[in-house]
Amino acid sequence: MKVLLLLGLVAVALCEPTKFVGDKVLRLTPGSEEDVTVIREIGHKIKVDFWKPDNPDVVTIGMNVDIHVPAAQLDMVFTILQQSSMEVEVMFENLQEAVEAQMDDKRATKAHDYTKYNNWATINDWVVSISSANANLISRQVIGNTYEGRPMHLLKIGKKTGSTKPAVFMDCGFHAREWITHAFCQWFVKEAVSTYGSDSEMTNLLDRMDFFVLPVFNIDGYEYTWTNDRMWRKTRSRNSGSNCIGTDPNRNFDAGWCTIGASSNPCSETYCGSSIESEIESKNLANFIRSNKSIIKAYLTVHSYSQLLLFPYSYKYGLAADHSELLSVSQGAIAALRSLYGTKYTSGPGASTIYPAAGGSDDWAYDLGVKYSYTFELRDEGRYGFLLPESQIKPTCEETMLAVKYIASHVLKNLY
């Protein structure tokens, strides 16, 4: 009986979500090479979680570096920081409070809500119901299952004309903890179907092209952020020879794979995987895009946070063949976005605008021949980071819609 009770307690402990009581998020701004070395030393010697950038090795002078430091590691981190005169700002005094404050509990509901964060079960039901309720504009298919066996639903949105139309492919939720991204894909689908017929731009887009929307890419990871660890980033696949779980799916594609800004260590948050497309989710997405390459004219992948609109390349510093057009379209898109609430975005090639990172889906899609390939990094710039409050879902999604429509309209006028 005692053994059973003990096992029961262990089971309960294993199911208890990770708490972040006393954890802090620090913003470090290195002013010298010595400061950069200090940050890298913290990253390599102490178990901390790099929020931005996601890898200590890409830190450079003048960059804002946001690090989540567990309570148990704070003394050690502050001891190291005292040896430098680096600027340190505490972004979160107690991370657990921020995790709890993210949800607007006054509106707690189990039903699907576009202005709340919805868990996977709710999103899964929503996918089925919205496609059934809008059969004239939406069709649904499963492009494969995740590592843990969950269906990867893809929605195709557009007027059914009976002929092949050019398409935009958009995915959300590559990194599990970036909850605002999942919210945006759901918002986009709602806006597309609810404004068709009344908004002339959206009506024209849906009449003449299709949108493939993958509302949640890394479903297993997303589910895990609800049940176990809000700060989980990677997939949930097992790695042979290691106890560490998961791969960074945005380092898992055939684009300078595992060369720069990615790690071959399975315990790293930027682990590139055992091979190109080792993750079933990556393979499912890549297979779909490869099979539909002739019609997919744009690839949009939605991440957070930083308020950026990036385009190739991230795996190298060289400019893309279509650099000038990609830049001008990105500048038009962020101007459209800013027109609503004044939110300032920066645009440019990934490597030089933020930091180099190999194996990204945007670079892979571009090299495959999808010219208009963009990565969004949604709100904010670090005040809330991955814990953007639900009160910001609506304005974030509204402004991002303007940028997506701007890009899609450009694509439609410049088919290739």
Side-chain angles (χ1 to χ4, degrees), residues 168-182:
V168 172
F169 188 103
M170 180 168 70
D171 59 56
C172 294
F174 251 69
H175 293 135
R177 61 191 178 187
E178 298 169 7
W179 281 14
I180 185 60
T181 72
H182 313 78

Side-chain angles (χ1 to χ4, degrees), residues 16 38 54 67 111-112 144 155 183 212 234 270 273 324 326 332 334 345 366 399 404 411 414:
E16 220 12 61
V38 167
D54 46 27
I67 306 177
H112 184 274
L155 296 175
F212 291 112
K234 300 193 284 181
T270 55
S324 56
L326 291 173
I334 64 174
Y345 268 57
Y366 181 78
E399 67 193 9
V404 171
V411 172
N414 295 273

Side-chain angles (χ1 to χ4, degrees), residues 377-391:
E377 293 281 356
L378 301 184
R379 291 192 193 184
D380 57 8
E381 293 184 296
R383 165 65 186 87
Y384 294 105
F386 300 121
L387 299 173
L388 200 68
E390 287 181 328
S391 58

Side-chain angles (χ1 to χ4, degrees), residues 328-343:
S328 71
V329 172
S330 73
Q331 288 168 336
I334 64 174
L337 184 152
R338 188 177 176 179
S339 70
L340 195 56
Y341 295 109
T343 309

